[in-house]
């Protein structure tokens, strides 16, 4: 399946489809970059940690070449978007740095500070690229990327506990797991332990706090600028609500956003 087809089944695609064509194409070029880099850490064909790190270093060289005006043919669209919207090299490199955290070793119960750094790199950095394409003012865009990026990533972590555990990863923070007296050294044991629910609730509270802080930024932005991130926020808040209503004790079914909530957001923001 190509990356755009995969995106078509996601909340990301639903939000991006409301953008004008030029912005939508720029966002899909960013999406393709993020997926390609993320796959280095997640797909078995990328080999050993050393091979993965070498491949990520290759991505750093490709991004540097793109900003030097010598983009590889497969990055031509991304280079065009970077020039048109003033995207920053540091933000692309931050995404690579975040994936490197996964590629070096399986993440298992990072402390809160490390988890926050990870969220900044793999999510808020993508947000910093996105808000420039959407047209946010600089300060508002930076603040939105900070809060909404973290809210979305923490929600993803809660949704993907069992999938991540099967891959040998545990993103719930060490401090929350210790407070819950849940296992911290074995992702599969932790995922099956009912005490993990208390740690999940702490992460959910952090995610909800970031959603709350993102809301006034979205509310004060021009409607045309805020449509896409509003839809993303609506979809993920409904996902978080569904997980909290169900509870985090195992066994867990993979939660999904509420279709009615997302449809209501589409109508509310005037995009239908």
């Amino acid at each position: 399946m190509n990356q755009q087809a995969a995106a078509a089944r996601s909340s990301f695609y639903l939000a991006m489809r409301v953008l004008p064509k030029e912005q939508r194409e720029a966002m899909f070029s960013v999406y393709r970059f993020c997926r390609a880099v993320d796959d280095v850490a997640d797909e078995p064909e990328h080999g050993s940690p050393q091979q993965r790190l070498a491949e990520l270093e290759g991505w750093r060289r490709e991004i540097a070449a793109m900003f030097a005006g010598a983009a590889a043919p497969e990055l031509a669209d991304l280079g065009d978007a970077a020039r048109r919207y003033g995207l920053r090299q540091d933000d692309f490199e931050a995404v690579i740095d975040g994936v490197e955290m996964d590629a070096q070793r399986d993440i298992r119960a990072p402390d809160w500070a490390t988890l926050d750094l990870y969220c900044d790199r793999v999510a808020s950095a993508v947000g910093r690229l996105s808000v420039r394409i959407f047209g946010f003012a600089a300060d508002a865009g930076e603040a939105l990327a900070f809060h909404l990026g973290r809210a979305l990533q923490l929600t993803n972590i809660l949704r993907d506990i069992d999938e991540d555990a099967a891959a040998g990863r545990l993103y719930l923070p060490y401090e929350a797991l210790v407070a819950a007296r849940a296992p911290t050294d074995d992702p599969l044991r932790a995922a099956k332990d009912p005490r993990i629910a208390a740690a999940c609730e702490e992460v959910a509270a952090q995610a909800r706090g970031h959603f709350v802080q993102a809301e006034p930024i979205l509310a004060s932005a021009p409607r045309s600028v805020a449509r896409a991130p509003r839809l993303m926020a609506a979809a993920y808040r409904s996902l978080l609500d569904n997980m909290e209503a169900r509870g985090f004790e195992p066994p867990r079914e993979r939660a999904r956003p509420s279709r009615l909530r997302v449809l209501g957001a589409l109508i509310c923001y005037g995009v239908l």
Side-chain angles (χ1 to χ4, degrees), residues 1-265:
M1 180 184 298
N2 66 40
Q3 290 161 351
Q4 190 152 328
R9 303 191 305 179
S10 71
S11 299
F12 171 87
Y13 180 78
L14 179 64
M16 295 312 108
R17 65 182 290 191
V18 308
L19 294 172
K21 181 180 179 182
E22 186 177 274
Q23 290 175 303
R24 184 170 65 248
E25 290 178 348
M27 282 301 304
F28 271 113
S29 70
V30 171
Y31 177 89
R32 287 190 293 270
F33 161 77
C34 293
R35 286 306 317 159
V37 173
D38 192 55
D39 284 347
V40 174
D42 288 343
E43 299 300 326
E45 64 264 25
H46 292 277
S48 69
Q50 292 76 18
Q51 290 171 307
R52 293 168 193 255
L53 294 176
E55 193 167 345
L56 291 173
E57 191 58 36
W59 273 109
R60 288 191 180 90
R61 291 193 296 270
E62 293 280 6
I63 291 299
M66 184 182 82
F67 276 90
E74 61 270 21
L75 293 183
D77 289 346
L78 186 61
D80 289 343
R83 286 188 295 274
R84 184 177 301 119
Y85 294 104
L87 307 185
R88 297 176 301 198
Q89 184 174 345
D90 286 352
D91 293 325
F92 286 101
E93 291 178 348
V95 175
I96 298 170
D97 290 341
V99 174
E100 187 176 67
M101 293 173 74
D102 276 319
Q104 287 174 324
R105 65 187 65 85
D106 290 331
I107 293 178
R108 297 188 176 186
D111 59 36
W112 266 115
T114 302
L115 179 61
D116 188 67
L117 175 62
Y118 178 78
C119 290
D120 187 79
R121 289 172 168 177
V122 302
S124 291
V126 180
R128 292 191 290 271
L129 295 168
S130 302
V131 293
R132 288 174 171 252
I133 295 172
F134 298 151
F136 275 84
D139 289 347
E142 291 285 315
L144 181 65
F146 181 95
H147 290 297
L148 190 55
R150 283 162 167 78
L152 301 186
Q153 187 62 31
L154 292 173
T155 302
N156 275 338
I157 285 169
L158 293 170
R159 181 195 62 192
D160 296 339
I161 288 170
D162 296 295
E163 180 182 330
D164 289 333
R169 294 172 180 166
L170 178 63
Y171 292 95
L172 297 177
Y174 175 81
E175 296 94 329
L177 289 164
V178 169
R181 299 187 177 182
T184 61
D185 58 342
D186 185 326
L188 286 174
R189 277 184 59 225
K192 294 176 181 177
D193 193 309
R195 292 174 295 183
I196 201 175
C200 293
E201 288 163 4
E202 184 174 337
V203 174
Q206 289 286 326
R208 191 164 296 283
H210 285 299
F211 278 124
V212 168
Q213 292 184 79
E215 182 56 36
I217 304 170
L218 291 168
S220 63
R223 190 180 186 89
S224 61
V225 168
R227 278 178 174 174
R230 271 191 174 278
L231 286 171
M232 288 292 290
Y236 272 78
R237 284 190 83 158
S238 75
L239 173 61
L240 182 61
D241 288 347
N242 288 345
M243 289 190 291
E244 288 190 301
R246 178 205 62 194
F248 294 104
E249 297 84 357
R252 291 168 290 267
E253 292 183 4
R254 187 176 174 85
R256 300 186 183 280
S258 163
R259 291 184 179 181
L260 286 177
R261 290 268 296 277
V262 175
L263 178 60

